[in-house]
């Protein structure tokens, strides 16, 4: 019996050790730890075993404390509570259960640090978003906690998700959940106003994608589409309505849109609404809310002109929050974009642009901006594989065009300012502006279509050397242009030669034997080296049959740029022409193109036909004295003349209401003059 009791005691000690070891994993719950502790206390083992178990218990508690600081919710939690102090955020990165998978939370803007529920986190992950942009991170808690907000950020910084995510989270788990109406015919809880159809469709796409993941429905309404389908969707009931001011106003007047249960109203690109003449419509729509205190208002804008500030003061609560990522600095162009300016006459444009694309697009998409709709249509017809996009094109066709561009069915889009803001198109490597825009802000937004979300891009601006306005853009956009001349034949040949070489290497090996005999015979009979023959093959593959000279002043083919210096200041172009007439025939002087004075006032540059170069140079040498003529290989700095402004000041496009009809019209009509005519 004594020996049996002793063996029982030994077995009991082994069991206690086993229990202590099983209770040590980091993921054990508090309940498991208490049970382990209880079993240890009930055992009658010796004191040394109890001391060991107590030490292990202390280690487990320390590990539990560390883990509780790294994560405040487990996989069963619906919301991820954010860290509440900066000291907590600086702690070592622990992996926390998020319901999707373990994610590192070193990044202070990591999605895991915000109160974003599992379905939305999963949707963000599917789209490759692991951390919020600064404007999104800074505003998320403010919006979710119910504050009115004015958010200011430059283009391409993610303003859309800055309101989409917290609004959706509030509707499904936050303060707005209990107030949201359900069922057939329910009025919307959210109204979002945007200035253009394209922006409205893009914001709607985000609400549809993320809202659909949490069971919320969205509707997009804008001019140019029939009323009936929009009316049907509104009467069935939706949670979120996104649209342009004109069509939203129409639906309110037709009693299709009930704002009595509205919880959120959002104005996106508010400064552009002002420029497009939507002031009255926006104020009418905002004024339809009976009790503004019950509605949360969010206003996002790249700039804050006086009207936007008045709207914020009038319709947002006095205790509104302001997030400004621009500050007192003037709006600046993206610093992830290489800014290039290049002289070009209108006659040379259709021939020059394909060469610019060959040299600078790197195989990515290109957007070309024109100032008028007619220019966009005309230029797209001259460029191979290009498609136009402007306000006169039917909305259905515009959607097909944008979808084809996004999917890579064609790589060149020729557009007016309808594509300057908000269009989120991947892989836009190159932006070409056919002339300096009248507003520097237009340049900033256009060039901002590339170099987005951490990528780099190139923006090329073409200009007439006699009236460029480049210095103004540099000053106000905060950039420094690279002043270069048009791509010369050698540059183009190098670029297209690389593409041709890639095509040759992609030829299937199975077809090589069929051409081997012809290749050997060519090598033996041509008398040329293999390198020369291959170069000719590349040139033929690339479509290069001849090399043409190109002016550095106007980019015209078969033209050469000359520099005239007379040994004294030239105060006007007429002085240069007078000097040339002293030693050149009248018909040759009249054939000169693009004469422009140099910035130092001591000379002038101009183009002549390549066939006349020798005649001009010889005449200049014969005329001796202080006059000199020479071929220019690099353009000197030239005098700039500011482009003439339209007579009507800020309202230079005529009737804004008519313009809106052409570009965003309620029924898709042509819309008279104004911006509709321009865009």
């Amino acid at each position: 019996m004594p020996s049996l009791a002793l063996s029982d005691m030994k077995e009991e000690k082994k069991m206690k050790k086993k229990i202590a070891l099983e209770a040590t994993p980091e993921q054990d719950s508090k309940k498991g730890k208490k049970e382990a502790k209880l079993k240890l206390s009930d055992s009658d083992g010796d004191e040394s075993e109890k001391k060991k178990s107590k030490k292990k218990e202390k280690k487990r508690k320390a590990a539990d404390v560390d883990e509780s600081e790294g994560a405040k919710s487990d996989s069963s939690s619906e919301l991820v509570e954010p860290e509440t102090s900066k000291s907590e955020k600086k702690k070592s990165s622990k992996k926390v259960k998020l319901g999707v998978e373990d994610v590192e939370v070193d990044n202070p803007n990591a999605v895991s640090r915000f109160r974003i529920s599992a379905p939305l986190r999963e949707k963000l992950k599917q789209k490759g978003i692991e951390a919020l942009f600064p404007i999104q991170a800074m505003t998320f808690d403010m919006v979710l906690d119910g504050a009115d907000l004015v958010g200011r950020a430059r283009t391409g910084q993610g303003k859309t998700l800055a309101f989409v995510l917290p609004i959706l989270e509030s509707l499904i788990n936050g303060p707005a959940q209990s107030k949201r109406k359900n069922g057939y015919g329910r009025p919307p809880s959210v109204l979002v106003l945007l200035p253009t159809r394209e922006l409205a469709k893009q914001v709607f796409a985000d609400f549809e994608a993320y809202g659909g993941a949490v069971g919320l429905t969205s509707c997009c309404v804008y001019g140019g589409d029939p009323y009936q389908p929009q009316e049907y969707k509104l009467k069935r009931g939706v949670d979120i309505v996104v649209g342009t001011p004109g069509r939203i106003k129409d639906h309110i007047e037709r009693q299709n849109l009930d704002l009595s249960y509205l919880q959120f109203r959002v104005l996106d690109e508010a400064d552009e609404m002002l420029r497009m003449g939507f002031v009255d419509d926006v104020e009418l729509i905002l004024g339809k809310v009976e009790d503004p205190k019950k509605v949360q208002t969010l206003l996002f804008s790249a700039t804050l002109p006086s009207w936007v500030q008045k709207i914020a003061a009038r319709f947002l609560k006095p205790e509104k929050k302001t997030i400004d990522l621009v500050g007192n600095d003037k709006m600046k162009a993206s610093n992830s974009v290489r800014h290039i300016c290049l002289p070009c006459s209108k006659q040379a444009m259709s021939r020059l642009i394909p060469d610019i694309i060959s040299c600078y697009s790197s195989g990515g998409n290109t957007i070309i901006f024109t100032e008028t709709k007619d220019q966009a249509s005309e230029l797209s017809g001259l460029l191979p594989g290009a498609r136009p996009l402007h306000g006169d094109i039917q909305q259905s066709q515009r959607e097909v065009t944008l979808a084809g561009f996004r999917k890579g069915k064609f790589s060149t889009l020729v557009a007016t300012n309808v594509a300057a803001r908000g269009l989120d198109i991947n892989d836009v490597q190159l932006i070409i502006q056919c002339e300096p825009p009248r507003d520097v802000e237009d340049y900033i937004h256009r060039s901002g279509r590339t170099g987005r979300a951490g990528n780099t891009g190139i923006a090329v601006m073409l200009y007439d050397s006699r009236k460029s306005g480049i210095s103004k853009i540099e000053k106000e956009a905060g950039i420094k242009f690279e002043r270069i001349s048009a791509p010369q034949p050698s540059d183009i040949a190098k670029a297209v030669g690389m593409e041709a070489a890639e095509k040759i290497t992609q030829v299937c090996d199975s077809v090589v034997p069929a051409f081997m005999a012809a290749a050997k015979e060519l090598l033996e009979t041509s008398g040329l080296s293999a390198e020369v023959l291959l170069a000719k093959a590349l040139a033929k593959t690339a479509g290069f049959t001849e090399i043409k000279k190109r002016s550095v002043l106007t980019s015209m083919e078969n033209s050469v740029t000359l520099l005239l210096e007379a040994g004294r200041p030239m105060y006007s172009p007429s002085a240069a022409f007078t000097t040339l007439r002293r030693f050149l025939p009248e018909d040759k002087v009249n054939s000169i193109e693009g004469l422009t004075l140099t910035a130092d006032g001591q000379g002038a540059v101009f183009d002549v036909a390549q066939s006349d170069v020798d005649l001009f140079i010889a005449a200049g040498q014969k005329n001796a004295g202080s006059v000199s003529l020479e071929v220019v290989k690099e353009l000197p700095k030239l005098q700039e003349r500011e482009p003439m402004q339209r007579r009507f000041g800020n309202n230079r496009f005529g009737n804004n209401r008519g313009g809106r009809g052409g570009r965003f019209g309620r029924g898709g009509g042509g819309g008279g003059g104004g911006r509709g005519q321009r865009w």
Side-chain angles (χ1 to χ4, degrees):
M1 288 294 295
S3 62
L4 182 61
L6 183 62
S7 64
D8 288 341
M9 289 176 66
K10 289 181 179 180
E11 283 295 318
E12 191 171 77
K13 287 181 180 181
K14 289 181 181 179
M15 287 297 296
K16 286 187 285 184
K17 289 181 180 180
K18 186 175 180 182
I19 291 169
L21 290 172
E22 288 177 347
T24 57
E26 290 184 358
Q27 297 299 323
D28 277 356
S29 64
K30 291 182 179 179
K31 181 180 178 181
K33 288 182 289 184
K34 288 180 180 178
E35 290 175 352
K37 187 176 180 180
L38 182 62
K39 289 180 180 180
L40 285 171
S41 63
D42 289 340
S43 65
D44 58 351
D46 57 23
E47 290 299 323
S48 62
E49 286 293 328
K50 289 181 180 180
K51 289 179 181 179
K52 289 180 182 178
S53 65
K54 286 181 179 179
K55 289 181 179 179
K56 291 179 181 178
E57 187 69 10
K58 288 180 180 179
K59 290 181 180 179
R60 288 197 303 273
K61 287 181 178 179
D64 289 339
V65 170
D66 287 341
E67 186 175 12
S68 66
E69 290 176 344
K72 292 190 177 182
S73 65
D74 58 19
S75 59
S76 64
S77 300
E78 188 171 12
L79 292 177
V80 178
E81 295 293 335
E83 302 293 344
T84 56
S85 69
K86 293 182 180 178
S87 60
E88 287 176 339
K89 289 187 178 181
K90 292 180 180 178
K91 291 191 176 183
S92 60
S93 65
K94 291 280 184 180
K95 287 190 175 182
V96 295
K97 283 285 186 178
L98 295 176
V100 180
E101 64 174 12
D102 289 349
V103 179
E104 292 288 344
V105 292
D106 280 330
N107 189 336
N109 291 346
V111 170
S112 58
R113 288 189 177 274
F114 297 89
R115 292 171 287 173
I116 301 176
S117 54
L120 289 179
R121 291 199 307 271
E122 180 64 31
K123 198 67 183 179
L124 288 166
K125 180 185 174 185
Q126 291 174 9
K127 292 182 176 291
I129 300 174
E130 297 179 354
L132 302 184
F133 282 16
I135 185 68
Q136 300 162 1
M138 294 173 73
T139 59
F140 183 88
D141 287 332
M142 294 179 186
V143 177
L144 187 55
D145 292 337
D148 281 12
L149 178 71
V150 176
R152 186 183 178 203
R154 296 187 178 102
T155 182
Q157 294 192 350
K159 291 195 293 290
T160 303
L161 282 187
F163 59 83
V164 169
L165 290 176
I167 284 176
L168 292 176
E169 197 61 55
S170 182
L171 289 174
I172 59 173
N173 291 306
Q177 182 183 16
S178 60
K179 303 175 186 177
R180 178 166 58 90
K181 293 295 179 180
N182 295 305
Y184 186 89
R186 64 189 179 281
S189 299
V190 182
L191 176 66
V192 185
L193 294 176
L194 299 113
T196 72
R197 303 171 189 172
E198 282 73 24
L199 279 170
K201 286 181 65 63
Q202 189 163 293
V203 171
F204 163 70
D206 281 337
F207 268 115
E208 191 173 39
Y210 293 99
V214 292
L216 299 177
T217 60
S218 305
C219 170
C220 189
V221 298
Y222 47 80
D225 262 16
Y227 279 96
Q228 189 172 2
Q230 296 176 3
E231 291 178 359
Y232 176 70
K233 290 178 182 178
L234 292 172
K235 287 181 178 179
R236 285 189 62 187
V238 293
D239 301 298
I240 300 141
V241 174
V242 182
T244 52
R247 185 54 66 94
I248 292 290
K249 176 188 174 185
D250 289 348
H251 281 299
I252 291 174
E253 291 174 345
R254 291 171 178 237
Q255 299 184 343
N256 297 325
L257 189 54
D258 179 6
L259 303 183
S260 57
Y261 291 91
L262 203 65
Q263 297 188 65
F264 293 92
R265 53 186 180 183
V266 182
L267 275 72
D268 195 11
E269 301 283 0
D271 52 349
E272 184 69 359
M273 292 188 197
L274 167 65
R275 295 178 60 198
M276 292 174 53
F278 286 130
V279 172
D280 294 339
D281 289 352
V282 170
E283 292 184 0
L284 183 147
I285 294 166
L286 295 178
K288 288 293 182 181
V289 176
E290 294 180 1
D291 188 355
K293 294 181 180 179
K294 295 182 179 180
V295 180
Q296 190 174 346
T297 306
L298 312 177
L299 187 153
F300 290 86
S301 184
T303 60
L304 296 176
S306 58
W307 175 75
V308 176
Q309 295 178 29
K310 289 177 182 177
I311 285 289
R314 180 178 171 189
F315 292 101
L316 276 68
K317 301 180 184 73
E319 61 274 18
K320 63 182 179 293
K321 305 291 185 181
T322 300
I323 292 295
D324 192 344
L325 298 188
V326 178
N328 295 325
D329 296 336
K330 291 183 178 179
M331 193 176 181
K332 300 292 191 290
S334 172
N335 55 15
S336 62
V337 176
R338 180 185 172 193
H339 299 274
I340 296 172
C341 66
L342 193 155
C344 178
S345 67
K346 292 194 180 297
Q347 295 88 340
M349 196 173 293
S350 61
R351 290 182 177 273
L352 175 64
I353 286 177
D355 294 338
I356 294 174
I357 293 173
S358 296
C359 290
Y360 296 111
S361 70
S362 301
N365 288 330
T366 298
I367 301 180
I368 303 170
F369 285 101
T370 65
E371 291 299 303
T372 68
K373 296 179 290 187
D374 289 343
Q375 288 175 342
S377 295
E378 182 180 353
L379 187 57
S380 64
L382 296 174
L383 300 176
R387 300 286 188 276
L389 184 74
H390 56 71
D392 275 353
I393 297 174
Q394 289 293 325
Q395 182 63 28
S396 57
Q397 180 57 49
R398 289 161 69 175
E399 292 172 11
V400 169
T401 298
L402 283 172
F405 189 58
R406 286 190 175 100
K407 293 177 181 178
K409 293 183 178 179
F410 60 94
S411 60
T412 303
L413 185 70
V414 186
T416 55
N417 263 10
V418 296
R421 287 197 183 208
L423 293 186
D424 192 9
I425 301 172
N426 295 328
D427 198 28
V428 176
Q429 177 63 27
L430 176 63
I431 297 296
I432 300 175
Q433 301 189 51
C434 291
E435 60 184 283
R438 296 179 180 90
D439 295 327
V440 175
E441 190 177 329
D442 284 344
Y443 178 85
I444 293 170
H445 285 292
R446 292 173 180 180
S447 61
R449 295 305 95 204
T450 186
R452 299 174 70 82
N455 297 318
T456 59
I458 297 176
V460 176
M461 187 180 71
L462 307 181
Y463 68 93
D464 185 331
S465 58
R466 294 168 295 182
K467 48 180 180 181
S468 64
I470 292 173
S471 298
K472 178 183 177 183
I473 294 177
E474 285 184 321
K475 181 179 179 181
E476 296 188 20
I479 60 172
K480 186 68 177 177
F481 281 112
E482 295 179 39
R483 288 170 165 81
I484 65 172
S485 58
Q488 293 300 315
S490 57
D491 303 320
I492 303 162
K494 183 178 179 180
V496 299
M498 296 297 291
E499 294 180 12
E502 187 176 352
K503 290 179 181 178
I504 288 176
T505 58
Q506 291 174 351
V507 173
C508 184
D509 292 341
S510 62
V511 306
V512 173
F515 292 88
M516 192 64 74
K520 288 180 179 179
E521 183 179 352
L522 185 60
L523 274 171
E524 294 170 357
T525 60
S526 66
L528 302 174
S529 67
E531 288 84 357
V532 172
L533 285 173
L534 181 57
K536 287 192 172 189
L538 288 171
K540 186 66 175 176
T541 303
F544 251 70
T545 57
E546 61 177 323
I547 298 290
K548 295 180 179 180
K549 290 283 187 181
R550 177 173 269 157
S551 157
V552 298
L553 177 64
T554 64
S555 299
M556 289 290 291
E557 290 181 344
N558 293 323
S559 293
V560 177
T561 303
L562 300 181
L563 170 64
L564 167 69
E565 291 181 323
R568 63 178 184 275
M570 293 184 185
Y571 298 106
S572 67
S574 61
F577 280 110
T578 300
T579 301
L580 289 169
R581 287 190 176 95
R582 292 175 185 169
F583 56 89
L584 284 167
E586 185 68 20
D587 62 323
K588 294 302 180 184
V589 174
N590 291 338
S591 69
I592 287 173
E593 296 286 348
L595 189 142
T596 308
L597 299 180
T598 56
D600 60 11
Q602 298 297 314
V605 291
F606 54 88
D607 279 356
V608 300
Q610 186 174 350
S611 58
D612 289 338
V613 173
D614 292 340
L615 184 152
F616 273 75
I617 298 296
Q621 292 173 346
K622 183 184 288 187
N623 225 319
S626 57
V627 176
S628 69
L629 274 177
E630 61 178 332
V631 175
V632 174
K633 293 184 178 178
E634 185 175 338
L635 204 62
K637 190 171 182 180
L638 305 178
Q639 291 185 12
E640 291 187 23
R641 289 190 299 166
E642 293 295 329
M644 291 183 63
Q645 296 295 324
R646 300 289 181 90
R647 293 175 58 192
F648 302 103
N650 290 333
N651 193 22
R652 60 184 178 276
F653 305 114
N655 187 336
N656 278 328
R657 304 285 287 190
R660 193 188 72 194
R663 185 185 176 196
F664 317 100
R666 300 177 183 177
R675 275 195 189 264
Q677 192 61 31
R678 183 187 176 202
W679 290 359

